[in-house]
Amino acid sequence: MKRWEDIIKEKLEGYESPLPEGVFAGMHTLVKGAVPVNKGIPVLWALVAAVAAALAIVFFIPRAEKANEDIQFVQRSEEQTFPLPESESSSVEHITTVVAKSNSSLVAREVQPEQTVVSQEPAKEISQEEIPNSHSPFIPENTASELSEIKIRTLPVIVASGGALATIAALLVTERPSEPSANGTEVMMGEEDSGVSGETPAVPKDELLGTTHGFPFKVGVTTRICLSDRLFFTTGLNYSIYKSSFSYSLSGQKTQHAHYLGIPLRLDYNLVPGRWFDVYVGAGVEVSKCLYASMAGKSIKKDGIIMSLQGVGGLQLNITNRWGFYIEPELNWNVPSTAVILNTYRSEHPLEFSLATGIRYVF
Amino acid sequence: MDEQALAKACLSGDTLAQEELYKRYAAKVFTLCKRYSGDVDEAKDLLQETFVKALGSIQAFTFRGEGSLYGWICRIAINLSLNHIRRYSWRNTPLDLSKRDYLPEPTEDEIERIEEEKLLEMISALPTIRRAVFNLFCIEGYSHKEIGEMLGISEKGSSSILSKARVQLKESIQSYLKELEK
């Protein structure tokens, strides 16, 4: 009795599939060596190179302050008027007129609808070095070239593709100011007046005015174990940093850094497997532990073990058959826990969006 | 034109002979490529690569009787496909969870009801390694030892993979037949 595989073999033996169009023309050209095989890869690489070049132009071109042609400069007179600091001048309308001078010290004079004379101190020549840019709304003509700031944003660019991806990640780093936290701490300066004597003056409280949390960013080394053609188990180590700025009324700005190490345990499904790129989605959990936390450079009490549910959509660049570079936008839901004691982006946003990148080894 | 003359003409760079070679064998080779590839685009690429390589190394062909040229071209196609599988397989080596074979084997009548293109589609739908082992063992007639050497796996591994390929193919056939009955 014939085996069913042999029946299939006999059925297919004499069969001829209909040929796709244009194959012979392409093959004929290849035989002549005229045109190399185009599998669409150069298009992708051209796109990556174009994106990297465009981002490099945006972030690496130096920028210089332009001198305003309408600005003229006058010599300081006996009446010395001081321009208002930027924060206070936002609501005041200024009519600014200055007369340009070719040499000597130049000072900008703001002419307000009602002239405000701040002090009667005798006129004093101010040298070019003393003119602070933060208080002057414009830069004197002859010092524009010297004082112009060249802003160069630098980003760690190791390789062209890694640099483009890292730049894309940096674009997503936006600080989200939040309202003053309900858990904001108040630092007491000195002792508080208990009200017994009634004579001791009240000690001002160092109140928390505002909190700004930086966008979390993760870097990791992960590994992927094949369960089937498209299904993988992913695990590894992820390092993430949560940066937060706290503004206090008295002590000013303080920055908190919290460093976490996490282990993801996830199932990934390859939506688009390819030789050079894999596009995948995944879901799982991540267990994180705060390794170190500091506030204004001083070590503080840190979070315990945190568990979060994770959903990702990722892109992996296959450098070799085993190694790849990945970038993964992630959505994490942090399981409520008493282990979370720090005020970070994570505690403010239990459902947090983050960006992870790193290298991966594929088994 | 017999195969020996055809091969000589191709060797001399005769474009018409190359066209004749393609017209004679492309459809059959494409069927083989479809069996070894995961999809039509991959099969198209494999077909193109096969003929380019065949015409590029036609001087290495030794005529051994009628049918040997076709067999030689098929061998090139299989080797190219196996090269890709070898590169691919150790990148994605599945754990291959075992499955019980409880399905009855399809009968000759049942297989006759399935079109050839559908059968090719079912074989293409197998995971890469299973597809390769099924083709090499059941269609090409290689032993598990030879398959192991070709794919860089053990003889026992080849046997295990083949049994899983059979189970999966039987499932595909049974579900297709149920659809036909509806």
Side-chain angles (χ1 to χ4, degrees):
Chain A
M1 191 174 162
K2 273 187 204 172
R3 292 185 310 171
W4 62 276
E5 302 100 320
D6 293 333
I7 300 167
I8 290 175
K9 178 184 173 181
E10 282 174 13
K11 195 174 169 74
L12 292 175
E13 204 153 10
Y15 179 70
E16 294 181 3
S17 262
L19 285 168
E21 288 178 13
V23 175
F24 183 65
M27 183 207 75
H28 195 63
T29 316
L30 287 170
V31 169
K32 282 192 172 182
V35 177
V37 179
N38 182 10
K39 295 191 179 182
I41 294 171
V43 175
L44 281 170
W45 281 114
L47 193 64
V48 170
V51 168
L55 289 169
I57 289 167
V58 167
F59 285 98
F60 281 91
I61 279 185
R63 298 179 189 179
E65 292 287 341
K66 264 190 181 175
N68 193 332
E69 291 175 355
D70 295 330
I71 296 172
Q72 295 170 310
F73 295 87
V74 293
Q75 197 112 28
R76 190 181 283 268
S77 64
E78 283 190 23
E79 284 182 357
Q80 180 176 327
T81 57
F82 291 93
L84 294 170
E86 282 181 5
S87 58
E88 294 173 15
S89 64
S90 59
S91 59
V92 179
E93 289 182 16
H94 296 274
I95 303 168
T96 307
T97 56
V98 283
V99 176
K101 276 250 175 178
S102 57
N103 48 18
S104 80
S105 63
L106 301 172
V107 174
R109 183 185 82 172
E110 295 178 349
V111 179
Q112 301 179 6
E114 288 176 29
Q115 281 266 9
T116 306
V117 178
V118 179
S119 76
Q120 296 296 328
E121 287 179 1
K124 189 168 80 171
E125 287 280 335
I126 296 178
S127 66
Q128 294 172 9
E129 291 76 26
E130 289 177 16
I131 299 172
N133 281 337
S134 59
H135 292 292
S136 171
F138 37 74
I139 298 166
E141 202 174 26
N142 65 347
T143 58
S145 59
E146 293 173 7
L147 294 176
S148 63
E149 286 184 14
I150 299 174
K151 292 181 185 177
I152 299 174
R153 297 178 198 179
T154 56
L155 293 168
V157 177
I158 303 171
V159 293
S161 59
L165 291 170
T167 308
I168 291 166
L171 282 172
L172 294 174
V173 176
T174 53
E175 292 198 349
R176 299 183 187 186
S178 65
E179 292 176 3
S181 168
N183 300 327
T185 54
E186 295 179 358
V187 175
M188 304 302 292
M189 306 286 286
E191 290 183 11
E192 187 175 0
D193 180 16
S194 61
V196 175
S197 64
E199 291 176 3
T200 317
V203 177
K205 292 181 186 178
D206 194 11
E207 292 182 357
L208 178 68
L209 300 174
T211 311
T212 305
H213 295 298
F215 193 84
F217 189 64
K218 276 187 197 176
V219 176
V221 177
T222 59
T223 188
R224 203 183 232 194
I225 300 165
C226 251
L227 299 178
S228 74
D229 249 12
R230 291 202 185 203
L231 197 63
F232 301 86
F233 174 72
T234 301
T235 186
L237 286 174
N238 280 333
Y239 163 77
S240 50
I241 180 164
Y242 287 74
K243 184 180 165 183
S244 305
S245 293
F246 301 98
S247 296
Y248 292 95
S249 56
L250 294 174
S251 51
Q253 194 94 357
K254 288 184 182 177
T255 306
Q256 174 186 274
H257 292 94
H259 306 262
Y260 294 83
L261 194 67
I263 299 175
L265 301 165
R266 209 175 63 217
L267 279 177
D268 288 348
Y269 181 79
N270 231 353
L271 287 173
V272 183
R275 169 63 184 94
W276 296 106
F277 289 97
D278 285 343
V279 178
Y280 58 92
V281 292
V285 298
E286 182 167 306
V287 179
S288 305
K289 172 89 173 71
C290 185
L291 299 176
Y292 180 73
S294 66
M295 172 78 85
K298 291 181 186 173
S299 176
I300 57 175
K301 207 172 177 185
K302 53 188 192 272
D303 287 344
I305 293 175
I306 301 166
M307 184 171 284
S308 54
L309 302 180
Q310 197 177 71
V312 309
L315 174 72
Q316 181 175 303
L317 167 66
N318 300 319
I319 302 165
T320 69
N321 280 343
R322 291 289 191 192
W323 290 96
F325 175 83
Y326 67 90
I327 183 160
E328 288 175 354
E330 295 180 350
L331 201 61
N332 294 288
W333 180 71
N334 298 304
V335 178
S337 165
T338 53
V340 178
I341 58 171
L342 291 173
N343 185 6
T344 62
Y345 183 91
R346 173 176 261 160
S347 60
E348 289 282 320
H349 304 92
L351 185 66
E352 66 169 292
F353 179 78
S354 62
L355 194 69
T357 185
I359 54 173
R360 177 171 288 145
Y361 183 77
V362 181
F363 277 99
Chain B
M1 195 187 284
D2 65 355
E3 280 190 350
Q4 193 173 16
L6 185 60
K8 277 183 182 167
C10 289
L11 183 62
S12 62
D14 186 353
T15 318
L16 288 172
Q18 289 173 359
E19 269 186 49
E20 176 59 28
L21 181 78
Y22 178 79
K23 280 177 189 168
R24 242 189 239 190
Y25 303 121
K28 285 184 187 173
V29 174
F30 186 55
T31 307
L32 181 147
C33 294
K34 270 183 151 183
R35 274 197 289 117
Y36 279 89
S37 308
D39 54 51
V40 177
D41 289 329
E42 209 180 308
K44 223 166 92 173
D45 289 339
L46 184 60
L47 174 70
Q48 222 168 29
E49 276 181 61
T50 301
F51 273 91
V52 168
K53 187 151 189 195
L55 290 169
S57 54
I58 194 80
Q59 69 282 358
F61 167 68
T62 309
F63 182 74
R64 289 195 178 93
E66 203 62 29
S68 59
L69 180 60
Y70 170 64
W72 181 73
I73 295 171
C74 285
R75 187 71 212 150
I76 291 174
I78 293 170
N79 282 340
L80 285 171
S81 171
L82 292 182
N83 284 343
H84 171 75
I85 289 167
R86 269 190 290 265
R87 273 197 304 269
Y88 180 78
S89 69
W90 61 274
R91 176 174 175 248
N92 293 306
T93 306
L95 291 181
D96 244 0
L97 305 169
S98 61
K99 231 176 174 179
R100 269 196 183 173
D101 188 3
Y102 57 90
L103 290 170
E105 292 189 356
T107 62
E108 189 168 351
D109 291 333
E110 284 173 338
I111 293 172
E112 285 303 319
R113 286 165 60 195
I114 307 172
E115 302 99 30
E116 287 86 347
E117 279 299 321
K118 192 65 194 172
L119 277 173
L120 286 173
E121 208 179 288
M122 288 178 191
I123 296 172
S124 287
L126 291 171
T128 310
I129 303 292
R130 290 184 192 179
R131 187 169 67 235
V133 172
F134 179 84
N135 278 312
L136 290 169
F137 186 86
C138 299
I139 311 290
E140 317 298 339
Y142 289 101
S143 67
H144 284 301
K145 190 180 177 186
E146 288 168 322
I147 292 169
E149 284 167 9
M150 282 184 213
L151 294 177
I153 56 177
S154 66
E155 204 175 319
K156 198 175 175 185
S158 173
S159 173
S160 167
I161 290 167
L162 177 67
S163 63
K164 291 183 184 86
R166 279 177 171 151
V167 168
Q168 192 171 339
L169 201 51
K170 274 199 277 182
E171 280 176 1
S172 302
I173 290 170
Q174 294 301 334
S175 68
Y176 179 72
L177 290 171
K178 276 182 188 169
E179 273 179 39
L180 283 181
E181 279 166 16
K182 287 177 188 174

